[in-house]
Amino acid sequence: MLYGYPQCPFCARVLHAIESLGLEIPLRDTLRNVDHRNAVVEATGRGTVPVLRIDAGDGRAEWLPESTEIVRYLVSRFRDR
Ligand SMILES: N[C@@H](CCC(=O)N[C@@H](CS)C(=O)NCC(=O)O)C(=O)O
């Protein structure tokens, strides 16, 4: 799950990487939905986006901020699928 919004250039960078890698990662728009923005603030302590929520599958989640770190993570995990 990616938290952010398309008009944000840092989010757009991540969205472009997601598309290039052929991934389907839903966008939770923090500009349109205050609940999504609040979730980011609660998880990271700030409202800065993009933030990637990585669900472990057991109910736990890791929240990864910073566009360059998110792209790095996605490329390293999914490039050679
Ligand atoms: N270094 C961050 C910068 C992200 C950033 O500045 N995002 C802006 C939107 S484009 C933002 O969330 N600003 C509001 C805030 O920081 O509370 C990254 O690369 O992800």
Side-chain angles (χ1 to χ4, degrees), residues 5 7-11 13-14 30 37 46-51 65-70:
Y5 52 94
Q7 301 89 335
C8 153
F10 298 98
C11 305
R13 182 189 295 168
V14 176
T30 55
R37 181 180 152 74
R46 59 182 191 168
T48 306
V49 290
V51 179
E66 292 297 327
S67 56
T68 51
E69 293 301 318
I70 297 169

Side-chain angles (χ1 to χ4, degrees), residues 3-80:
Y3 287 73
Y5 52 94
Q7 301 89 335
C8 153
F10 298 98
C11 305
R13 182 189 295 168
V14 176
L15 290 168
H16 180 257
I18 288 171
E19 192 180 336
S20 298
L21 291 162
L23 304 175
E24 287 185 19
I25 298 179
L27 176 68
R28 289 207 159 163
D29 194 315
T30 55
L31 203 58
R32 291 171 175 266
N33 187 323
V34 73
D35 289 341
H36 295 335
R37 181 180 152 74
N38 288 342
V40 169
V41 173
E42 194 173 314
T44 68
R46 59 182 191 168
T48 306
V49 290
V51 179
L52 183 68
R53 194 183 89 194
I54 305 164
D55 293 307
D58 60 0
R60 288 181 301 169
E62 179 189 344
W63 296 73
L64 181 63
E66 292 297 327
S67 56
T68 51
E69 293 301 318
I70 297 169
V71 171
R72 196 195 317 267
Y73 166 80
L74 292 174
V75 168
S76 68
R77 179 160 176 193
F78 295 110
R79 183 180 38 203
D80 297 322

